[in-house]
Coordinates of all heavy atoms in Angstrom, one line a residue:
M18 N 66.8 102.6 143.6 CA 67.9 102.6 142.7 C 67.5 103.3 141.4 O 66.3 103.4 141.0 CB 68.3 101.1 142.3 CG 69.0 100.4 143.4 SD 70.6 101.2 143.7 CE 71.4 99.9 144.7
V19 N 68.5 103.8 140.7 CA 68.3 104.6 139.5 C 69.0 103.9 138.4 O 70.2 103.7 138.5 CB 68.9 106.0 139.7 CG1 68.7 106.9 138.5 CG2 68.3 106.7 141.0
K20 N 68.3 103.6 137.3 CA 68.9 102.9 136.2 C 69.7 104.0 135.3 O 69.1 105.0 134.9 CB 67.9 102.2 135.3 CG 67.5 100.8 135.8 CD 67.0 100.0 134.7 CE 66.9 98.5 135.1 NZ 65.9 98.2 136.1
V21 N 70.9 103.6 134.9 CA 71.7 104.5 134.1 C 72.3 103.7 132.9 O 72.8 102.6 133.2 CB 72.9 105.2 134.8 CG1 73.7 106.1 133.9 CG2 72.4 105.9 136.1
T22 N 72.1 104.1 131.7 CA 72.7 103.4 130.6 C 73.9 104.2 130.1 O 73.8 105.4 129.7 CB 71.7 103.2 129.5 OG1 70.7 102.4 130.0 CG2 72.4 102.5 128.3
F23 N 75.1 103.5 130.1 CA 76.3 104.1 129.5 C 76.5 103.4 128.1 O 76.5 102.2 128.1 CB 77.5 103.8 130.4 CG 77.5 104.5 131.7 CD1 76.9 103.9 132.8 CD2 78.0 105.8 131.9 CE1 76.8 104.5 134.1 CE2 78.0 106.4 133.1 CZ 77.4 105.7 134.2
I24 N 76.8 104.2 127.1 CA 77.1 103.6 125.8 C 78.5 104.0 125.4 O 78.8 105.2 125.2 CB 76.1 104.2 124.7 CG1 74.7 103.9 125.1 CG2 76.4 103.5 123.3 CD1 73.6 104.5 124.2
E25 N 79.3 103.0 125.3 CA 80.7 103.2 125.0 C 80.8 103.7 123.5 O 79.9 103.5 122.7 CB 81.5 101.9 125.0 CG 81.7 101.3 126.4 CD 82.5 100.1 126.4 OE1 83.6 100.1 125.9 OE2 82.0 99.0 126.9
H26 N 81.9 104.3 123.1 CA 82.1 104.8 121.8 C 81.9 103.6 120.8 O 81.4 103.8 119.7 CB 83.4 105.5 121.6 CG 83.5 106.1 120.2 ND1 82.8 107.2 119.9 CD2 84.3 105.7 119.2 CE1 83.1 107.5 118.6 NE2 84.0 106.7 118.2
S27 N 82.3 102.4 121.2 CA 82.1 101.3 120.3 C 80.7 100.9 120.0 O 80.4 100.1 119.2 CB 82.9 100.1 120.9 OG 82.2 99.7 122.1
G28 N 79.8 101.4 120.9 CA 78.4 101.0 120.8 C 77.9 100.0 121.9 O 76.7 99.8 122.0
T29 N 78.9 99.5 122.6 CA 78.5 98.6 123.7 C 77.8 99.3 124.8 O 78.2 100.4 125.2 CB 79.8 98.0 124.3 OG1 80.5 97.3 123.2 CG2 79.5 97.0 125.4
Q30 N 76.6 98.8 125.2 CA 75.8 99.4 126.2 C 75.9 98.7 127.5 O 76.0 97.5 127.5 CB 74.3 99.4 125.7 CG 74.1 100.2 124.5 CD 72.6 100.5 124.3 OE1 71.8 100.4 125.2 NE2 72.3 100.9 123.0
H31 N 75.8 99.5 128.6 CA 75.8 98.9 129.9 C 74.7 99.6 130.7 O 74.8 100.9 130.9 CB 77.1 99.2 130.6 CG 78.4 98.9 129.9 ND1 79.0 97.6 130.1 CD2 79.1 99.5 129.0 CE1 80.1 97.6 129.3 NE2 80.2 98.7 128.6
T32 N 73.7 98.9 131.1 CA 72.7 99.5 131.9 C 72.9 99.0 133.3 O 72.9 97.8 133.6 CB 71.3 99.1 131.4 OG1 71.1 99.7 130.1 CG2 70.2 99.7 132.3
V33 N 73.1 99.9 134.2 CA 73.5 99.6 135.6 C 72.6 100.4 136.6 O 71.9 101.3 136.2 CB 75.0 99.9 135.9 CG1 75.9 99.1 135.0 CG2 75.3 101.4 135.7
E34 N 72.7 100.0 137.8 CA 71.9 100.7 138.9 C 72.8 101.6 139.7 O 73.9 101.2 140.1 CB 71.2 99.7 139.8 CG 70.3 98.7 139.0 CD 69.0 98.4 139.7 OE1 69.1 98.3 141.0 OE2 68.0 98.2 139.1
A35 N 72.4 102.8 139.8 CA 73.1 103.8 140.6 C 72.5 104.0 141.9 O 71.3 103.9 142.0 CB 73.1 105.2 139.9
K36 N 73.3 104.2 142.9 CA 72.8 104.5 144.3 C 72.4 105.9 144.3 O 73.2 106.8 143.9 CB 73.9 104.2 145.3 CG 74.0 102.8 145.7 CD 74.9 102.7 146.9 CE 76.3 102.6 146.5 NZ 77.3 102.5 147.6
P37 N 71.2 106.3 144.8 CA 70.8 107.7 144.9 C 71.9 108.5 145.6 O 72.4 108.1 146.6 CB 69.5 107.7 145.7 CG 69.0 106.3 145.4 CD 70.1 105.4 145.3
G38 N 72.3 109.6 145.0 CA 73.3 110.5 145.6 C 74.7 110.2 145.0 O 75.5 111.1 145.0
D39 N 74.9 109.1 144.4 CA 76.2 108.8 143.7 C 76.2 109.6 142.5 O 75.2 109.8 141.8 CB 76.4 107.3 143.4 CG 77.0 106.5 144.5 OD1 77.2 107.1 145.6 OD2 77.2 105.3 144.3
S40 N 77.4 110.0 142.1 CA 77.6 110.7 140.8 C 77.5 109.6 139.7 O 77.8 108.4 139.9 CB 78.9 111.5 140.7 OG 80.0 110.6 140.6
L41 N 77.2 110.1 138.4 CA 77.3 109.1 137.3 C 78.7 108.6 137.2 O 78.9 107.4 136.8 CB 76.7 109.7 136.1 CG 75.3 110.2 136.1 CD1 74.8 110.4 134.7 CD2 74.4 109.2 136.8
M42 N 79.7 109.4 137.4 CA 81.1 109.0 137.4 C 81.3 107.8 138.4 O 81.9 106.8 138.1 CB 82.0 110.1 137.6 CG 83.5 109.8 137.7 SD 84.1 109.1 139.3 CE 84.3 110.6 140.2
Q43 N 80.9 108.0 139.6 CA 81.1 107.0 140.7 C 80.4 105.7 140.2 O 80.8 104.6 140.4 CB 80.5 107.5 142.0 CG 81.3 108.5 142.7 CD 80.6 109.1 143.9 OE1 79.4 109.5 143.8 NE2 81.3 109.3 145.0
T44 N 79.2 105.9 139.7 CA 78.4 104.7 139.2 C 79.2 104.0 138.2 O 79.2 102.7 138.2 CB 77.0 105.2 138.7 OG1 76.4 105.9 139.7 CG2 76.2 104.1 138.2
A45 N 79.7 104.7 137.2 CA 80.5 104.0 136.1 C 81.7 103.3 136.7 O 82.0 102.1 136.4 CB 81.0 105.1 135.1
Q46 N 82.3 103.9 137.7 CA 83.5 103.2 138.3 C 83.1 102.0 139.1 O 83.7 101.0 139.1 CB 84.3 104.2 139.1 CG 84.8 105.4 138.2 CD 86.3 105.7 138.5 OE1 86.6 105.9 139.7 NE2 87.1 105.9 137.5
N47 N 82.0 102.2 139.8 CA 81.5 101.0 140.6 C 81.2 99.8 139.8 O 81.2 98.7 140.2 CB 80.2 101.4 141.4 CG 80.5 102.4 142.5 OD1 81.6 102.6 142.9 ND2 79.5 103.0 143.0
H48 N 80.8 100.1 138.5 CA 80.5 99.0 137.6 C 81.5 98.7 136.6 O 81.2 98.0 135.6 CB 79.1 99.3 137.0 CG 78.0 99.3 138.0 ND1 77.3 98.2 138.4 CD2 77.4 100.3 138.7 CE1 76.4 98.5 139.3 NE2 76.4 99.8 139.5
S49 N 82.7 99.3 136.7 CA 83.8 99.0 135.8 C 83.5 99.3 134.4 O 83.8 98.5 133.5 CB 84.3 97.6 136.0 OG 84.7 97.3 137.3
I50 N 82.8 100.4 134.1 CA 82.5 100.8 132.8 C 83.8 101.4 132.2 O 84.3 102.4 132.7 CB 81.4 101.9 132.7 CG1 80.2 101.5 133.6 CG2 81.0 102.3 131.3 CD1 79.4 100.4 133.0
P51 N 84.2 100.9 131.0 CA 85.4 101.4 130.4 C 85.2 102.8 129.9 O 84.1 103.1 129.4 CB 85.7 100.5 129.3 CG 84.7 99.4 129.3 CD 83.7 99.8 130.3
G52 N 86.2 103.7 130.0 CA 86.1 105.0 129.3 C 85.8 106.2 130.3 O 85.8 107.3 129.8
I53 N 85.6 105.9 131.5 CA 85.5 107.0 132.5 C 86.7 106.9 133.5 O 86.6 106.2 134.5 CB 84.1 106.8 133.3 CG1 82.9 106.8 132.4 CG2 84.0 107.9 134.4 CD1 82.4 108.1 131.9
D54 N 87.7 107.6 133.1 CA 88.9 107.5 133.9 C 88.9 108.2 135.2 O 89.4 107.8 136.2 CB 90.2 107.9 133.1 CG 90.5 107.0 132.0 OD1 90.0 105.8 132.1 OD2 91.2 107.4 131.1
A55 N 88.2 109.4 135.2 CA 88.0 110.2 136.4 C 89.3 110.4 137.2 O 89.4 110.2 138.4 CB 87.0 109.5 137.3
D56 N 90.3 111.0 136.5 CA 91.7 111.1 137.0 C 91.7 112.0 138.3 O 92.5 111.8 139.2 CB 92.6 111.8 136.0 CG 92.9 110.8 134.8 OD1 92.7 109.6 135.0 OD2 93.3 111.3 133.8
C57 N 90.8 113.0 138.4 CA 90.8 113.9 139.5 C 89.9 113.4 140.7 O 89.8 114.1 141.7 CB 90.4 115.3 139.1 SG 88.6 115.6 138.8
G58 N 89.2 112.3 140.5 CA 88.4 111.7 141.6 C 87.1 112.5 141.8 O 86.5 112.3 142.8
G59 N 86.7 113.3 140.8 CA 85.4 113.9 140.9 C 85.5 115.4 141.4 O 84.5 115.9 141.7
A60 N 86.7 115.9 141.3 CA 86.8 117.3 141.7 C 86.6 118.4 140.6 O 86.9 119.5 140.8 CB 88.3 117.5 142.2
C61 N 86.0 117.9 139.5 CA 85.7 118.8 138.4 C 87.0 119.5 137.9 O 87.0 120.7 137.6 CB 84.7 119.9 138.8 SG 83.9 120.7 137.4
A62 N 88.1 118.7 137.8 CA 89.4 119.3 137.4 C 90.1 118.5 136.3 O 91.3 118.7 136.1 CB 90.2 119.4 138.7
C63 N 89.5 117.5 135.7 CA 90.2 116.7 134.7 C 89.5 116.5 133.4 O 90.1 116.3 132.4 CB 90.6 115.4 135.3 SG 89.3 114.2 135.5
A64 N 88.2 116.5 133.4 CA 87.3 116.2 132.2 C 87.5 114.9 131.6 O 87.1 114.6 130.5 CB 87.5 117.3 131.2
T65 N 88.1 113.9 132.4 CA 88.2 112.5 131.8 C 86.9 111.7 132.2 O 86.9 110.5 132.0 CB 89.4 111.8 132.4 OG1 89.3 111.7 133.8 CG2 90.7 112.5 132.0
C66 N 85.9 112.4 132.6 CA 84.6 111.8 132.9 C 83.5 112.3 132.0 O 82.3 112.2 132.3 CB 84.2 112.0 134.4 SG 83.9 113.7 134.7
H67 N 84.0 112.9 130.9 CA 83.1 113.6 129.9 C 82.1 112.6 129.3 O 82.5 111.4 129.0 CB 83.9 114.2 128.8 CG 83.2 114.9 127.7 ND1 83.7 115.0 126.4 CD2 82.0 115.5 127.7 CE1 82.8 115.7 125.7 NE2 81.8 115.9 126.4
V68 N 80.8 113.0 129.3 CA 79.8 112.1 128.6 C 78.9 113.0 127.8 O 78.8 114.2 128.0 CB 78.9 111.4 129.6 CG1 79.7 110.4 130.4 CG2 78.2 112.3 130.6
F69 N 78.2 112.4 126.8 CA 77.2 113.1 126.0 C 75.8 112.6 126.5 O 75.5 111.4 126.4 CB 77.3 112.8 124.5 CG 78.6 113.1 123.9 CD1 79.4 112.1 123.3 CD2 79.1 114.4 124.0 CE1 80.6 112.4 122.8 CE2 80.4 114.7 123.4 CZ 81.1 113.7 122.8
V70 N 75.1 113.5 127.1 CA 73.7 113.2 127.6 C 72.8 113.1 126.4 O 72.8 114.0 125.6 CB 73.3 114.2 128.7 CG1 71.9 113.9 129.1 CG2 74.3 114.2 129.8
A71 N 72.0 112.1 126.4 CA 71.0 112.0 125.3 C 70.0 113.2 125.3 O 69.7 113.7 126.4 CB 70.2 110.7 125.5
D72 N 69.6 113.6 124.1 CA 68.9 114.9 124.0 C 67.7 115.0 124.9 O 67.5 116.0 125.5 CB 68.3 115.0 122.5 CG 69.4 115.3 121.5 OD1 70.6 115.7 122.0 OD2 69.2 115.2 120.3
E73 N 66.9 113.9 125.1 CA 65.7 114.0 125.9 C 66.0 114.2 127.4 O 65.1 114.5 128.1 CB 64.8 112.8 125.6 CG 65.4 111.4 126.0 CD 66.2 110.8 124.9 OE1 66.8 111.5 124.0 OE2 66.2 109.5 124.8
W74 N 67.2 114.0 127.8 CA 67.6 114.2 129.2 C 68.2 115.5 129.5 O 68.3 115.9 130.7 CB 68.5 113.0 129.6 CG 67.8 111.8 129.7 CD1 67.7 110.8 128.7 CD2 67.0 111.3 130.8 NE1 66.9 109.8 129.1 CE2 66.4 110.1 130.4 CE3 66.7 111.8 132.0 CZ2 65.6 109.3 131.2 CZ3 65.8 111.1 132.9 CH2 65.3 109.9 132.5
I75 N 68.7 116.2 128.5 CA 69.5 117.5 128.7 C 68.7 118.5 129.6 O 69.3 119.0 130.6 CB 69.9 118.1 127.4 CG1 70.8 117.2 126.6 CG2 70.5 119.5 127.6 CD1 71.2 117.7 125.2
A76 N 67.5 118.7 129.3 CA 66.7 119.7 130.0 C 66.4 119.3 131.4 O 66.0 120.2 132.3 CB 65.5 120.1 129.3
R77 N 66.5 118.1 131.8 CA 66.2 117.6 133.1 C 67.3 117.7 134.1 O 67.2 117.4 135.3 CB 65.7 116.1 133.1 CG 64.5 115.9 132.1 CD 63.9 114.6 132.4 NE 63.5 114.0 131.1 CZ 62.9 112.8 131.1 NH1 62.7 112.1 132.2 NH2 62.5 112.3 129.9
L78 N 68.5 118.1 133.6 CA 69.7 118.1 134.4 C 69.9 119.5 135.0 O 69.4 120.5 134.5 CB 70.9 117.8 133.6 CG 70.9 116.4 132.9 CD1 72.1 116.2 132.1 CD2 70.8 115.3 134.0
P79 N 70.6 119.5 136.2 CA 70.9 120.9 136.7 C 71.8 121.6 135.8 O 72.5 121.0 134.9 CB 71.6 120.5 138.0 CG 72.1 119.1 137.9 CD 71.1 118.4 136.9
P80 N 71.8 122.9 135.8 CA 72.6 123.7 134.9 C 74.1 123.4 135.1 O 74.6 123.0 136.2 CB 72.3 125.2 135.3 CG 71.5 125.1 136.5 CD 71.0 123.8 136.8
V81 N 74.9 123.7 134.0 CA 76.3 123.5 134.1 C 76.9 124.7 134.9 O 76.6 125.8 134.7 CB 76.9 123.6 132.6 CG1 78.4 123.6 132.6 CG2 76.3 122.5 131.8
S82 N 77.8 124.3 135.9 CA 78.4 125.3 136.7 C 79.5 126.0 136.0 O 80.0 125.5 134.9 CB 78.9 124.7 138.0 OG 80.1 123.9 137.7
G83 N 80.0 127.1 136.5 CA 81.1 127.8 135.9 C 82.4 126.9 135.7 O 83.0 126.9 134.7
N84 N 82.7 126.2 136.8 CA 83.8 125.2 136.8 C 83.7 124.2 135.7 O 84.6 123.8 135.0 CB 84.0 124.5 138.1 CG 84.8 125.3 139.1 OD1 85.3 126.4 138.7 ND2 85.0 124.8 140.3
E85 N 82.5 123.6 135.7 CA 82.2 122.5 134.7 C 82.3 123.1 133.3 O 82.9 122.4 132.4 CB 80.8 121.9 135.0 CG 80.5 120.7 134.1 CD 79.2 120.1 134.3 OE1 78.4 120.5 135.2 OE2 78.9 119.1 133.6
D86 N 81.8 124.2 133.1 CA 81.8 124.9 131.8 C 83.3 125.1 131.4 O 83.6 124.8 130.2 CB 81.0 126.2 131.8 CG 80.8 126.8 130.5 OD1 80.4 126.1 129.5 OD2 81.1 128.0 130.3
A87 N 84.1 125.5 132.3 CA 85.5 125.8 131.9 C 86.2 124.5 131.6 O 87.0 124.4 130.7 CB 86.2 126.5 133.1
M88 N 85.9 123.4 132.3 CA 86.5 122.1 132.0 C 86.0 121.6 130.7 O 86.8 121.0 129.9 CB 86.3 121.1 133.1 CG 87.0 121.4 134.4 SD 88.8 121.7 134.2 CE 89.3 120.2 133.4
L89 N 84.8 121.8 130.4 CA 84.2 121.3 129.1 C 84.8 122.0 128.0 O 84.9 121.5 126.8 CB 82.7 121.4 129.1 CG 82.0 120.3 130.0 CD1 80.5 120.7 130.2 CD2 82.1 118.9 129.4
D90 N 85.3 123.2 128.2 CA 86.0 123.9 127.1 C 87.3 123.3 126.7 O 87.8 123.6 125.6 CB 86.2 125.4 127.5 CG 85.0 126.3 127.3 OD1 84.1 125.9 126.5 OD2 85.0 127.4 127.8
V91 N 87.8 122.4 127.5 CA 89.1 121.8 127.1 C 88.9 120.4 126.5 O 89.9 119.8 126.1 CB 90.1 121.7 128.3 CG1 90.3 123.1 128.8 CG2 89.7 120.8 129.4
V92 N 87.7 119.9 126.5 CA 87.5 118.5 125.9 C 87.6 118.6 124.4 O 87.4 119.7 123.8 CB 86.2 117.8 126.3 CG1 86.2 117.7 127.8 CG2 85.0 118.5 125.8
E93 N 87.9 117.5 123.7 CA 88.1 117.5 122.3 C 86.8 117.8 121.5 O 86.8 118.4 120.5 CB 88.6 116.1 121.8 CG 90.1 116.0 121.9 CD 90.6 114.6 121.5 OE1 90.0 114.0 120.6 OE2 91.6 114.1 122.1
E94 N 85.7 117.2 122.0 CA 84.5 117.2 121.2 C 83.3 117.6 122.0 O 82.5 116.8 122.4 CB 84.3 115.7 120.8 CG 83.4 115.5 119.6 CD 83.2 114.0 119.3 OE1 83.9 113.2 120.0 OE2 82.3 113.7 118.5
R95 N 83.3 118.9 122.3 CA 82.1 119.4 123.1 C 80.9 119.5 122.3 O 81.0 120.0 121.2 CB 82.4 120.8 123.8 CG 81.3 121.2 124.7 CD 81.7 122.5 125.5 NE 80.7 122.8 126.4 CZ 80.8 123.7 127.3 NH1 81.9 124.5 127.4 NH2 79.8 123.9 128.2
R96 N 79.8 119.0 122.8 CA 78.5 119.1 122.1 C 77.4 119.6 123.0 O 77.7 119.8 124.2 CB 78.0 117.7 121.7 CG 78.9 117.0 120.7 CD 78.3 115.7 120.3 NE 79.2 114.7 119.7 CZ 79.0 113.4 119.6 NH1 77.9 112.9 120.1 NH2 79.9 112.7 119.0
R97 N 76.2 119.8 122.5 CA 75.1 120.3 123.3 C 74.9 119.5 124.6 O 74.6 120.0 125.6 CB 73.9 120.3 122.4 CG 72.7 121.1 123.0 CD 71.6 121.3 122.0 NE 70.8 120.1 121.9 CZ 69.7 120.0 122.7 NH1 69.3 120.9 123.5 NH2 68.9 118.9 122.6
G98 N 75.0 118.2 124.5 CA 74.7 117.3 125.6 C 76.0 117.0 126.5 O 75.9 116.2 127.3
S99 N 77.1 117.7 126.2 CA 78.3 117.4 127.0 C 78.1 117.8 128.4 O 77.7 118.9 128.8 CB 79.5 118.2 126.4 OG 79.9 117.7 125.2
R100 N 78.5 116.9 129.3 CA 78.5 117.1 130.8 C 79.7 116.3 131.4 O 80.1 115.3 130.8 CB 77.2 116.6 131.4 CG 76.0 117.4 131.0 CD 76.0 118.9 131.3 NE 76.2 119.2 132.7 CZ 75.2 119.6 133.6 NH1 73.9 119.7 133.1 NH2 75.4 119.9 134.8
L101 N 80.1 116.7 132.5 CA 81.0 115.9 133.3 C 80.2 115.0 134.2 O 79.4 115.5 135.0 CB 82.0 116.8 134.1 CG 82.9 117.8 133.2 CD1 83.8 118.6 134.1 CD2 83.7 117.0 132.2
S102 N 80.5 113.7 134.1 CA 79.6 112.8 134.8 C 79.8 112.9 136.3 O 79.0 112.4 137.1 CB 79.8 111.4 134.3 OG 81.1 111.0 134.4
C103 N 81.0 113.5 136.8 CA 81.2 113.6 138.2 C 80.3 114.7 138.8 O 80.2 114.8 140.0 CB 82.6 113.8 138.5 SG 83.3 115.5 138.0
Q104 N 79.7 115.5 137.9 CA 78.9 116.6 138.4 C 77.4 116.3 138.3 O 76.5 117.2 138.6 CB 79.2 117.9 137.6 CG 80.6 118.3 137.7 CD 81.1 118.5 139.1 OE1 80.5 119.4 139.8 NE2 82.1 117.8 139.6
L105 N 77.0 115.1 137.9 CA 75.6 114.7 137.8 C 75.4 113.6 138.8 O 76.0 112.6 138.8 CB 75.4 114.1 136.4 CG 75.7 115.1 135.2 CD1 75.5 114.4 133.9 CD2 74.8 116.4 135.4
H106 N 74.4 113.9 139.7 CA 74.1 112.9 140.8 C 72.8 112.2 140.6 O 71.8 112.8 140.2 CB 74.2 113.6 142.1 CG 75.6 114.1 142.4 ND1 76.1 115.3 142.0 CD2 76.6 113.4 143.1 CE1 77.4 115.3 142.4 NE2 77.7 114.3 143.0
A107 N 72.8 110.9 140.8 CA 71.7 110.1 140.6 C 70.6 110.4 141.6 O 70.8 110.5 142.8 CB 72.1 108.6 140.7
D108 N 69.4 110.6 141.0 CA 68.2 110.6 141.9 C 67.0 110.1 141.0 O 67.2 109.8 139.8 CB 67.9 112.0 142.5 CG 67.6 113.1 141.4 OD1 67.1 112.7 140.4 OD2 67.8 114.3 141.7
A109 N 65.9 110.0 141.7 CA 64.8 109.4 141.0 C 64.4 110.1 139.7 O 64.0 109.4 138.7 CB 63.5 109.3 141.9
S110 N 64.7 111.4 139.6 CA 64.3 112.1 138.4 C 65.2 111.7 137.2 O 64.9 112.0 136.0 CB 64.4 113.6 138.6 OG 65.8 114.0 138.7
L111 N 66.3 111.0 137.4 CA 67.2 110.6 136.4 C 67.1 109.1 136.1 O 67.9 108.6 135.3 CB 68.6 111.0 136.7 CG 68.9 112.5 136.9 CD1 70.5 112.7 137.0 CD2 68.4 113.3 135.7
D112 N 66.1 108.5 136.6 CA 65.9 107.0 136.4 C 65.7 106.8 134.9 O 64.8 107.3 134.3 CB 64.7 106.5 137.2 CG 64.6 105.0 137.1 OD1 65.7 104.3 137.0 OD2 63.5 104.5 137.1
G113 N 66.6 106.0 134.3 CA 66.5 105.7 132.8 C 67.4 106.6 132.0 O 67.5 106.4 130.7
I114 N 68.2 107.5 132.6 CA 69.1 108.4 131.8 C 70.1 107.6 130.9 O 70.5 106.5 131.3 CB 69.8 109.4 132.7 CG1 70.5 110.5 131.8 CG2 70.8 108.7 133.6 CD1 71.0 111.7 132.7
V115 N 70.3 108.1 129.7 CA 71.3 107.5 128.8 C 72.4 108.5 128.5 O 72.1 109.6 128.1 CB 70.5 107.1 127.5 CG1 71.5 106.5 126.5 CG2 69.4 106.1 127.8
V116 N 73.6 108.0 128.6 CA 74.8 108.9 128.3 C 75.7 108.1 127.4 O 75.9 106.9 127.6 CB 75.5 109.4 129.5 CG1 74.6 110.2 130.4 CG2 76.2 108.3 130.3
S117 N 76.4 108.8 126.5 CA 77.3 108.1 125.6 C 78.7 108.7 125.9 O 78.9 109.8 126.4 CB 77.0 108.5 124.1 OG 75.7 108.1 123.8
L118 N 79.7 107.9 125.5 CA 81.1 108.3 125.8 C 81.8 108.7 124.5 O 81.6 108.1 123.5 CB 81.9 107.1 126.4 CG 81.7 106.9 128.0 CD1 80.3 106.7 128.4 CD2 82.6 105.8 128.5
P119 N 82.6 109.7 124.6 CA 83.3 110.2 123.4 C 84.4 109.3 123.0 O 84.9 108.5 123.8 CB 83.9 111.6 123.9 CG 83.9 111.5 125.4 CD 82.9 110.5 125.8
A120 N 84.8 109.5 121.7 CA 85.9 108.6 121.1 C 87.2 108.7 121.9 O 87.9 107.8 121.9 CB 86.0 109.0 119.7
S121 N 87.4 109.9 122.4 CA 88.7 110.1 123.1 C 88.8 109.3 124.4 O 89.9 109.2 125.0 CB 88.9 111.6 123.4 OG 87.8 112.1 124.2
Q122 N 87.7 108.8 124.9 CA 87.7 108.0 126.2 C 87.4 106.6 125.9 O 86.4 106.0 126.2 CB 86.7 108.6 127.1 CG 87.1 110.0 127.6 CD 86.0 110.7 128.4 OE1 85.9 111.9 128.3 NE2 85.1 110.0 129.0
R123 N 88.4 105.9 125.3 CA 88.2 104.5 125.0 C 89.1 103.6 125.9 O 90.0 104.1 126.4 CB 88.5 104.2 123.5 CG 87.4 104.7 122.6 CD 87.7 104.2 121.2 NE 88.1 105.3 120.4 CZ 88.2 105.2 119.1 NH1 88.0 104.1 118.5 NH2 88.7 106.3 118.4
Ligands
FES5 S1 86.3 113.1 137.4 FE1 87.6 114.8 136.9 S2 86.3 116.2 136.1 FE2 85.0 114.6 136.6

């Protein structure tokens, strides 16, 4: 199992276990984390699964694809650590990852 910490915009933290291979979006939904609506079901087409990846984890992630980059261009508050959580899949290398949720996803 892979531990993932989601921090809501309010500051409430949820540390949960992800199944290897599941996306962080699926993991959030499996654990009823508020703020990850995932309207498109993980098709990289809605950006309602936007998260801010903590600085120390950014370089450990796979690169942003062209589709993900285009969708991130439409979010309200894009930052250096912005990613779509449906495009990040849990594996042992991400054990302990921390992501925060934007104010627009409350
Ligand atoms: S769930 Fe729609 S872009 Fe991630």
Side-chain angles (χ1 to χ4, degrees):
M18 286 294 196
V19 181
K20 277 202 167 67
V21 181
T22 297
F23 294 90
I24 306 175
E25 293 181 55
H26 186 69
S27 65
T29 303
Q30 295 195 19
H31 308 265
T32 298
V33 299
E34 301 219 326
K36 281 191 273 181
D39 274 2
S40 71
L41 299 195
M42 176 278 281
Q43 287 168 317
T44 301
Q46 297 225 313
N47 289 346
H48 295 275
S49 303
I50 308 293
I53 303 276
D54 289 343
D56 291 340
C57 76
C61 198
C63 72
T65 61
C66 65
H67 179 205
V68 295
F69 303 122
V70 175
D72 286 349
E73 62 271 32
W74 289 94
I75 293 173
R77 302 194 218 179
L78 299 176
V81 177
S82 71
N84 272 357
E85 184 180 0
D86 189 47
M88 289 310 303
L89 285 168
D90 274 344
V91 304
V92 302
E93 276 180 32
E94 196 185 353
R95 185 171 186 174
R96 297 183 197 162
R97 193 170 83 89
S99 285
R100 296 299 302 257
L101 297 180
S102 58
C103 68
Q104 301 302 300
L105 302 175
H106 292 86
D108 66 25
S110 72
L111 298 188
D112 187 32
I114 190 169
V115 178
V116 301
S117 303
L118 276 58
S121 57
Q122 291 169 212
R123 285 189 254 189

